[in-house]
Amino acid sequence: MNAPKRRILGIDPGSRMTGFGVVDVVGQQRLYVASGCIRTPDGAALAERIRVIVTGLFEVVDTYRPDETAVEQVFVNVNPAATLMLGQARGAVVSALVMKDLPVAEYTALQVKQSVVGHGKAPKEQVQAMIVRLLSLSGTPQADAADALAVALTHANHSHAALAAFTRQGLRIKGGRLA
Amino acid sequence: MNAPKRRILGIDPGSRMTGFGVVDVVGQQRLYVASGCIRTPDGAALAERIRVIVTGLFEVVDTYRPDETAVEQVFVNVNPAATLMLGQARGAVVSALVMKDLPVAEYTALQVKQSVVGHGKAPKEQVQAMIVRLLSLSGTPQADAADALAVALTHANHSHAALAAFTRQGLRIKGGRLA
């Protein structure tokens, strides 16, 4: 039986920059599809920044048509104003995905590092280097895009395990998703 | 010349409860149209809570068809996790309004109290009592709905002043909005 292809969109939300990364999962293979950043205009009002994030993500979803999505759980910052802004960006990201009827999984930075590098204390650079290796990239993507690809790969590993477990239990799988 | 009617939707975002209030502005008159709360399910995943907020607001917008919207600027909480959750709810609210192509104004709690009661130190109960009086309500609305009505009234006062100033300067007014 051929393994079905699942396309995962990973997102690293930020108030100034939201990274996205698209990865195809075919059996044990992880194939790079696309990645990039949605930059929000400095000094713009909240509504305008949110409009940029939502329409940007709509474009990404319409272009790459992912089956599943995964969003990085933002680490709670020491600065309350920054935490609020990060929360707002994250709310906008999840709103856009939900309105496109996509399932949204969440992973903490710790889970991402453990899944991609093997331990939770890995520095950012090691995560990036691992992304380049795991996806056979010819260059290092921008930091936010690399983080988004790492979230997508984390979801690929987690949901693969979940999928295998469900399959063993004899549950149905519909179009690559758990049904 | 008859004053044009403007319908304002005010929103008080919260991670558990999002209040909304709809007010019509006709010249100096402020007329109550509707108010209520969107309650998000306790313990549900972020995506589900955001889905409830966004679809709930879509329903409010489709039902009452406001011309303008105003959102309360959340006070930054001492608890970072709560601040993040509040930010996410706020991001979802603004995303929903932006996707309905509505202009979104923002007011701080201080501005709302100053506008509705006349000074920034008014307790919550005084704001609620003032809402009941200003809108000639027969009963006190729920706290979150009252806050949302207060935000709508604040926007009515602020944008009315702006409208008057613009009109004096001879600028065009289109459908009750500044053009």
Side-chain angles (χ1 to χ4, degrees):
Chain A
M1 185 185 102
N2 275 339
K5 190 190 82 175
R6 291 160 53 222
R7 179 163 285 184
I8 299 170
L9 168 61
I11 298 170
D12 177 33
S15 58
R16 289 187 166 179
M17 194 86 101
T18 289
F20 67 89
V22 185
V23 171
D24 277 351
V25 179
V26 187
Q28 291 304 316
Q29 277 192 295
R30 309 286 183 260
L31 306 167
Y32 174 88
V33 178
S35 66
C37 294
I38 299 165
R39 188 190 299 265
T40 45
D42 275 347
L46 175 66
E48 180 50 29
R49 282 185 287 122
I50 282 185
R51 186 193 305 274
V52 169
I53 293 175
V54 169
T55 55
L57 278 181
F58 277 1
E59 214 179 295
V60 168
V61 167
D62 291 343
T63 305
Y64 299 107
R65 310 213 157 270
D67 302 300
E68 296 158 45
T69 72
V71 178
E72 181 153 355
Q73 263 182 20
V74 193
F75 184 74
V76 170
N77 204 293
V78 281
N79 173 348
T83 303
L84 186 74
M85 275 173 58
L86 207 52
Q88 287 169 175
R90 200 149 183 268
V93 163
V94 176
S95 295
L97 300 176
V98 154
M99 262 166 292
K100 287 288 184 180
D101 280 325
L102 286 163
V104 182
E106 295 185 77
Y107 298 97
T108 63
L110 184 73
Q111 286 177 303
V112 172
K113 285 178 178 186
Q114 276 171 340
S115 180
V116 172
V117 181
H119 61 97
K121 304 232 176 204
K124 229 175 166 63
E125 295 71 31
Q126 204 178 341
V127 176
Q128 283 178 30
M130 208 61 187
I131 291 300
V132 171
R133 227 183 75 188
L134 289 169
L135 294 172
S136 313
L137 303 180
S138 55
T140 308
Q142 252 183 292
D144 301 273
D147 284 347
L149 288 166
V151 180
L153 286 176
T154 302
H155 183 62
N157 294 343
H158 276 74
S159 50
H160 180 77
L163 204 69
F166 272 84
T167 311
R168 273 197 302 275
Q169 288 164 28
L171 294 180
R172 284 171 309 136
I173 297 163
K174 249 192 202 162
R177 292 187 211 165
L178 301 178
Chain B
M1 187 184 100
N2 276 339
K5 190 191 82 176
R6 293 160 52 222
R7 179 162 286 185
I8 298 170
L9 167 61
I11 298 168
D12 177 34
S15 58
R16 288 187 167 180
M17 194 87 103
T18 289
F20 68 90
V22 184
V23 171
D24 277 350
V25 180
V26 186
Q28 291 303 316
Q29 277 191 296
R30 310 284 184 261
L31 306 167
Y32 174 88
V33 178
S35 66
C37 295
I38 299 164
R39 189 190 300 265
T40 45
D42 275 348
L46 174 65
E48 182 50 28
R49 283 186 287 121
I50 282 185
R51 186 193 306 271
V52 169
I53 293 175
V54 170
T55 54
L57 279 180
F58 277 1
E59 213 177 296
V60 169
V61 168
D62 291 343
T63 304
Y64 299 107
R65 308 213 157 270
D67 302 301
E68 296 158 47
T69 71
V71 179
E72 181 153 355
Q73 264 182 20
V74 192
F75 185 73
V76 170
N77 205 293
V78 282
N79 173 348
T83 303
L84 186 74
M85 275 172 60
L86 207 50
Q88 288 169 0
R90 201 151 183 265
V93 163
V94 175
S95 295
L97 300 176
V98 154
M99 263 170 291
K100 286 287 185 181
D101 280 326
L102 286 164
V104 182
E106 294 184 79
Y107 298 97
T108 63
L110 185 73
Q111 286 177 304
V112 171
K113 286 180 177 185
Q114 276 172 340
S115 180
V116 172
V117 181
H119 62 96
K121 305 233 176 205
K124 229 176 164 66
E125 295 71 31
Q126 204 179 340
V127 176
Q128 284 179 29
M130 207 61 187
I131 292 299
V132 171
R133 227 183 75 187
L134 290 169
L135 295 173
S136 314
L137 303 180
S138 56
T140 308
Q142 250 183 293
D144 301 272
D147 284 347
L149 287 166
V151 180
L153 286 176
T154 302
H155 183 63
N157 294 343
H158 275 75
S159 50
H160 179 78
L163 205 69
F166 272 85
T167 311
R168 274 198 300 277
Q169 289 163 29
L171 294 179
R172 285 170 309 137
I173 297 163
K174 251 191 203 164
R177 292 188 211 163
L178 302 177

